[in-house]
């Protein structure tokens, strides 16, 4: 029996008086009946069973992942039960990364790695509980692999009300008492003019943002994960769909591109697409030496050494080999090299990229000459 419109999972000591309070108030303003353990639990009632009952009786789950979230056993137990409910019924979980790097959550490194190391040390010798710790890890990975919001400590008051207003009500239509599941939402088959692969850490707030804005201003439909991936959907599957449906690809190689397994998976999938179709890639070297990318040296060598250390299984090693092969394949294509991080000096290069994409879209031929692009041999002496 559905009892609550929303259930919020959060680390109280970190978020109770700021982002969690803001989220709770925003949901109430929109008329969403939200579970609140301070108000919804009866005095003397056992906390865990009551929380689990509330989770099972909720339509949508908001998980506020903060720095100390994984250090709380209570939060991890909630998360595992939320994942069970999402997998066994048509409900959705929406992650909010609060002042944390989503990649640290996905990889369980940094403060998240330390938290799990402490849990495993604490329960060493207790095999049953260690299995539960593993389930917590898997639950955190599954949730972090879904599209969500990255909100800083200074911006939650602005973003939370708008986020709830735009998203939650679309998940809970007034004509139905049942939340829509990601598996039951009908997605129209969509194609894009361009798919841009870039390392968000390096370029999302500078070059990539300028490039996407320029493409949009000129009527070019470029995939943007912030816009086109529905919150709560699995990011990877949505990215693959977008790549499959794109006519052109732009790959922005930056210093940390190869350190992201997400970027490398995108790149390998892009290469798979161009091998079986007449689509093309435009590589861009953004404030990085093209020779280091081509030879996989310097920061790129270190990134792959880290991947090979992390992925030691036979299948995983083969995957890393495919990433290396894809990187080598793309880095030898005709390219553009951007050497200046100052945004006002990047406009000329952005116009070049824009014109190249326009030419490709306007041409009926799939094999355009690359006379206007910089050849690798002219960059690397």
């Amino acid at each position: 029996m559905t009892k609550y419109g929303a259930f919020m999972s959060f680390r109280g000591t970190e978020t109770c008086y700021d982002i969690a309070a803001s989220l709770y108030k925003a949901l109430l303003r929109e008329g969403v009946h939200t579970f609140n353990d301070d108000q919804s639990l009866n005095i003397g009632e056992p906390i865990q069973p009551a929380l689990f009952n509330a989770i099972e009786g909720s339509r949508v789950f908001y998980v506020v992942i903060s720095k100390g979230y994984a250090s709380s056993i209570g939060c991890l137990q909630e998360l595992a039960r939320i994942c069970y409910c999402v997998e066994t019924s048509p409900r959705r979980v929406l992650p909010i990364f609060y002042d944390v790097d989503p990649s640290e959550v996905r990889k369980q490194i940094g403060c998240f790695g330390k938290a799990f190391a402490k849990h495993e040390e604490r329960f060493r010798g207790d095999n049953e509980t260690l299995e539960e710790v593993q389930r917590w890890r898997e639950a955190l990975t599954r949730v972090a692999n879904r599209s969500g919001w990255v909100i800083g400590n200074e911006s939650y008051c602005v973003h939370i009300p708008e986020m709830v207003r735009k998203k939650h009500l679309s998940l809970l239509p007034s004509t139905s008492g049942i939340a829509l599941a990601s598996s039951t939402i009908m997605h129209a088959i969509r194609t894009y003019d361009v798919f841009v692969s870039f390392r968000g850490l390096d370029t999302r707030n500078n070059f990539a943002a300028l490039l996407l804005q320029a493409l949009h201003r000129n009527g070019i439909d470029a995939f943007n994960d912030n816009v086109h991936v529905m919150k709560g959907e699995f990011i990877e599957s949505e990215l693959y769909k977008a790549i499959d449906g794109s006519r052109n690809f732009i790959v922005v190689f930056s210093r940390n591109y190869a350190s992201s397994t997400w970027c490398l998976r995108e790149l390998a999938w892009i290469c798979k697409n161009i091998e079986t179709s007449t689509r093309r890639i435009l590589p861009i070297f953004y404030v990085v030496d093209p020779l280091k990318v081509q030879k996989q040296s310097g920061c790129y060598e270190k990134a792959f050494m880290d991947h090979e250390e992390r992925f030691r299984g036979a299948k995983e090693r083969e995957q890393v080999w495919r990433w290396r092969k894809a990187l080598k394949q793309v880095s030898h294509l005709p390219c553009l090299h951007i050497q200046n991080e100052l945004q006002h000096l990047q406009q000329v290069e952005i116009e070049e990229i824009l014109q190249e994409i326009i030419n490709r879209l306007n041409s009926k031929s799939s094999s355009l000459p690359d006379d206007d692009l910089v050849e690798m041999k002219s960059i690397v002496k």
Side-chain angles (χ1 to χ4, degrees):
M1 181 75 179
T2 300
K3 190 175 181 181
Y4 300 101
F7 182 96
M8 295 164 41
S9 178
F10 58 92
R11 181 73 193 276
T13 55
E14 292 179 322
T15 65
C16 187
Y17 299 106
D18 44 50
I19 187 172
S22 181
L23 176 59
Y24 182 70
K25 291 175 184 176
L27 288 164
L28 289 185
R29 280 196 298 270
E30 298 298 332
V32 180
H33 183 33
T34 305
F35 177 80
N36 183 339
D37 56 3
D38 286 340
Q39 300 176 12
S40 304
L41 294 182
N42 296 321
I43 301 298
E45 187 177 4
I47 293 177
Q48 191 181 67
L51 285 174
F52 285 179
N53 288 336
I55 290 170
E56 289 164 6
S58 297
R59 295 173 175 175
V60 177
F61 306 104
Y62 288 91
V63 179
V64 183
I65 303 174
S66 55
K67 289 183 173 70
Y69 186 89
S71 64
S72 167
I73 291 176
C75 288
L76 293 171
Q77 289 173 332
E78 285 179 6
L79 191 66
R81 183 55 64 101
I82 287 169
C83 285
Y84 173 79
C85 288
V86 170
E87 290 167 2
T88 57
S89 63
R91 285 177 281 183
R92 182 173 293 185
V93 56
L94 302 171
I96 300 171
F97 302 95
Y98 178 57
D99 210 23
V100 297
D101 183 348
S103 66
E104 289 193 358
V105 186
R106 296 184 189 112
K107 297 176 183 177
Q108 293 170 21
I109 58 176
C111 54
F112 294 88
K114 291 177 182 177
F116 276 108
K118 287 182 180 179
H119 295 319
E120 288 162 353
E121 176 63 26
R122 176 183 177 186
F123 298 115
R124 186 169 55 179
D126 184 347
N127 291 335
E128 186 176 344
T129 307
L130 284 176
E131 287 180 9
E132 187 177 9
V133 173
Q134 182 59 33
R135 287 194 291 272
W136 299 341
R137 279 189 178 274
E138 292 169 358
L140 188 63
T141 299
R142 285 198 293 272
V143 171
N145 278 337
R146 291 180 179 267
S147 177
W149 295 270
V150 181
I151 297 178
N153 188 36
E154 305 299 326
S155 61
Y156 70 86
C157 288
V158 175
H159 291 295
I160 287 294
E162 187 67 14
M163 179 189 86
V164 169
R165 190 158 46 247
K166 287 184 175 180
K167 269 297 157 207
H168 192 95
L169 296 184
S170 68
L171 298 177
L172 299 171
S174 58
T175 56
S176 172
I178 302 175
L180 294 177
S182 59
S183 60
T184 60
I185 294 176
M186 297 302 294
H187 296 282
I189 296 174
R190 173 113 193 235
T191 59
Y192 299 93
D193 293 326
V194 184
F195 182 96
V196 184
S197 177
F198 61 91
R199 177 70 157 119
L201 183 68
D202 293 340
T203 65
R204 184 181 293 279
N205 297 318
N206 43 65
F207 176 74
L210 292 174
L211 176 58
L212 289 168
Q213 289 167 11
L215 292 167
H216 178 72
R217 279 197 308 270
N218 285 270
I220 297 172
D221 189 12
F223 175 81
N224 185 338
D225 57 355
N226 278 342
V227 175
H228 296 122
V229 177
M230 294 188 66
K231 303 304 180 187
E233 293 286 359
F234 283 109
I235 299 173
E236 190 171 27
S237 61
E238 292 300 302
L239 289 175
Y240 288 171
K241 289 177 189 175
I243 291 170
D244 290 341
S246 295
R247 298 175 61 191
N248 291 277
F249 305 104
I250 297 174
V251 178
V252 183
F253 292 119
S254 55
R255 292 187 186 97
N256 296 299
Y257 186 91
S259 66
S260 167
T261 57
W262 288 94
C263 289
L264 294 171
R265 288 190 182 105
E266 284 179 7
L267 188 66
W269 199 261
I270 288 170
C271 287
K272 182 179 178 180
N273 270 265
I274 64 170
E275 288 169 2
T276 57
S277 67
T278 56
R279 290 172 286 175
R280 300 167 64 202
I281 304 175
L282 171 59
I284 298 168
F285 297 92
Y286 176 72
V287 199
V288 66
D289 183 353
L291 189 60
K292 289 184 178 179
V293 182
Q294 182 183 1
K295 294 186 176 181
Q296 296 173 23
S297 60
C299 54
Y300 277 69
E301 180 184 22
K302 182 181 183 304
F304 275 107
M305 287 175 64
D306 290 343
H307 296 320
E308 287 165 354
E309 176 64 25
R310 179 183 172 197
F311 301 116
R312 296 186 176 185
K315 289 185 178 179
E316 292 175 325
R317 285 275 185 172
E318 186 179 347
Q319 183 182 47
V320 175
W321 177 82
R322 285 196 297 270
W323 295 344
R324 281 190 178 274
K325 181 182 176 183
L327 187 67
K328 186 174 183 179
Q329 177 183 346
V330 175
S331 66
H332 281 80
L333 296 174
C335 63
L336 288 171
H337 187 194
I338 297 174
Q339 304 182 57
N340 203 309
E341 290 183 278
L342 297 177
Q343 293 185 13
H344 69 279
L345 297 177
Q346 296 171 4
Q347 293 301 326
V348 173
E349 286 91 348
I350 286 177
E351 286 300 319
E352 288 185 52
I353 297 165
L354 187 61
Q355 192 56 54
E356 173 65 17
I357 295 300
I358 290 172
N359 290 343
R360 292 184 182 190
L361 292 172
N362 289 339
S363 175
K364 293 181 181 179
S365 169
S366 63
S367 48
L368 297 175
D370 295 306
D371 296 340
D372 293 333
L373 298 180
V374 179
E375 294 287 354
M376 177 64 75
K377 63 184 179 182
S378 68
I379 295 178
V380 182
K381 304 295 184 184

